[in-house]
Amino acid sequence: MDTRLLRAFVVLAETANYHTAASQLYVTQPALTKQIKQLERQLAITLFERGRHGAQLTENGHKLLPFAQQVLSQTNQLLNRASELSSQFPKSIYVGFGISVFQEASFFVARLREHLPKTTIYFDDMPSNIMSQKLANHQLQVAFLRRPETPFSTHFAVYPLKKETLSLAISTSQLTHQSIKQLLMTHPYLSLRKERGSGLSQQIEQFLEQQKISLIPAQEASDIQTIIALVGAGAGVSLVPYSARHISRHDVTFIPIENIASATWDIDVVWSSSLPASWQDIIRALLKETLHHFNRHANPK
């Protein structure tokens, strides 16, 4: 069976959205639809119910999904093991990242391409909990993600990258000398959907609870870029990672929430410790270069 079709099945099942899945798979939506229909014909089973809300797994689709994930995991393990035995670099590497490390992850991938010019590098934005799952299933080789409450097992190498903090995003035209709490209470609150960023949502809930602030979102969105665009348009304020300022516009101001433990978290880079030593040496060297680059620019002499 063509594992390309199984990967299309798994990614669409995880995202429940044809546009998002097609983007992660680097194919067009019509091509993804064709792949799903081809797999359904081969299996003689309907895998998805299609509607206004995207693609929802059928009962049979739910039953087959774990088997598809297992096949892909075993296939990736086989390919990685073959690369190890042949001492060759892989034909493809999957790197995941979150918005908090967009700059660092982009710099790392650019340098990785220079070191591995014959390797296809897939670079995808996804929530940290999805990255953890994909690491466990060998669907990701490198992940820039929020440090989980339960540490990774010894099967993974962990490289501490940086600390991140929450910030208030507000339209520059609406900025006043009020406190962050006052600004949150006097403007409509815009929120990222929980399913798109469960870790960030939990961080925000902890901060709001500690500060005794109760907010009901006036509007929700599926990505931080949309949230920032709405803030810039004056639709309200939001709490986002301070690093989101790097993808922002001039009409949005970001105020970091400093010296509050519930507003900060750690970002790590994680990869499988079973990867060949030569690969891991490159990863560590490039991460060291990445940290040096951004620390130098953050603290110029």
Side-chain angles (χ1 to χ4, degrees):
M1 178 173 287
D2 188 347
T3 56
R4 184 172 52 99
L5 302 182
L6 290 180
R7 189 174 301 281
F9 170 37
V10 169
V11 173
L12 182 56
E14 291 173 345
T15 60
N17 183 280
Y18 274 92
H19 175 75
T20 304
S23 176
Q24 290 189 17
L25 292 164
Y26 297 93
V27 299
T28 63
Q29 283 184 243
L32 174 59
T33 300
K34 184 177 179 180
Q35 289 174 358
I36 295 299
K37 288 182 177 178
Q38 183 179 347
L39 181 60
E40 288 180 329
R41 284 195 300 270
Q42 289 183 12
L43 299 174
I45 284 177
T46 299
L47 299 171
F48 293 96
E49 295 176 350
R50 300 159 180 84
R52 289 186 308 166
H53 302 293
Q56 299 297 321
L57 282 170
T58 62
E59 183 179 352
N60 287 332
H62 274 291
K63 291 177 180 178
L64 287 180
L65 180 59
F67 294 95
Q69 292 171 325
Q70 184 178 14
V71 170
L72 286 178
S73 175
Q74 291 175 341
T75 300
N76 286 330
Q77 290 182 59
L78 183 150
L79 294 174
N80 285 340
R81 185 56 179 158
S83 295
E84 294 172 24
L85 295 174
S86 65
S87 299
Q88 294 179 356
F89 285 105
K91 292 184 178 180
S92 62
I93 288 179
Y94 290 81
V95 180
F97 73 99
I99 200 69
S100 294
V101 284
F102 173 75
Q103 278 197 315
E104 293 87 348
S106 297
F107 182 92
F108 170 85
V109 166
R111 297 298 174 272
L112 190 60
R113 290 188 195 281
E114 294 175 0
H115 283 76
L116 306 177
K118 295 183 179 180
T119 298
T120 301
I121 301 175
Y122 297 98
F123 187 47
D124 292 318
D125 173 18
M126 62 188 77
S128 290
N129 62 319
I130 298 298
M131 280 190 267
S132 295
Q133 293 172 16
K134 287 183 176 289
L135 282 167
N137 292 331
H138 304 278
Q139 293 173 285
L140 271 183
Q141 277 68 57
V142 183
F144 289 71
L145 77 175
R146 170 190 294 267
R147 183 176 297 168
E149 293 182 3
T150 303
F152 280 94
S153 71
T154 55
H155 297 299
F156 295 94
V158 178
Y159 189 101
L161 189 70
K162 70 172 188 178
K163 281 190 174 293
E164 178 61 295
T165 186
L166 286 175
S167 69
L168 176 76
I170 183 171
S171 171
T172 303
S173 64
Q174 296 178 329
L175 186 61
T176 65
H177 292 295
Q178 292 177 297
S179 68
I180 289 177
K181 183 174 182 177
Q182 290 171 327
L183 291 170
L184 281 169
M185 299 295 290
T186 55
H187 290 80
Y189 179 61
L190 310 175
S191 174
L192 185 70
R193 288 195 176 95
K194 285 186 178 182
E195 60 269 22
R196 184 59 184 85
S198 59
L200 178 60
S201 294
Q202 184 177 4
Q203 193 83 47
I204 291 171
E205 289 172 1
Q206 291 175 353
F207 167 73
L208 293 175
E209 183 179 352
Q210 186 190 64
Q211 298 300 308
K212 296 180 171 55
I213 301 173
S214 179
L215 297 176
I216 298 176
Q219 187 170 350
E220 295 184 337
S222 296
D223 59 81
I224 289 181
Q225 291 92 330
T226 300
I227 291 289
I228 292 172
L230 289 168
V231 169
V237 300
S238 188
L239 291 170
V240 299
Y242 188 44
S243 294
R245 70 192 186 280
H246 297 307
I247 61 166
S248 183
R249 307 128 43 114
H250 68 280
D251 54 0
V252 177
T253 296
F254 294 82
I255 307 172
I257 300 172
E258 300 175 316
N259 303 318
I260 297 179
S262 62
T264 64
W265 64 95
D266 294 293
I267 303 289
D268 294 330
V269 185
V270 181
W271 64 90
S272 173
S273 55
S274 66
L275 291 176
S278 56
W279 302 9
Q280 296 193 59
D281 289 343
I282 289 178
I283 292 171
R284 288 192 182 90
L286 294 182
L287 288 174
K288 184 176 180 180
E289 181 183 346
T290 299
L291 275 178
H292 175 74
H293 173 83
F294 286 98
N295 287 339
R296 180 162 51 87
H297 283 76
N299 303 292
K301 291 183 179 180

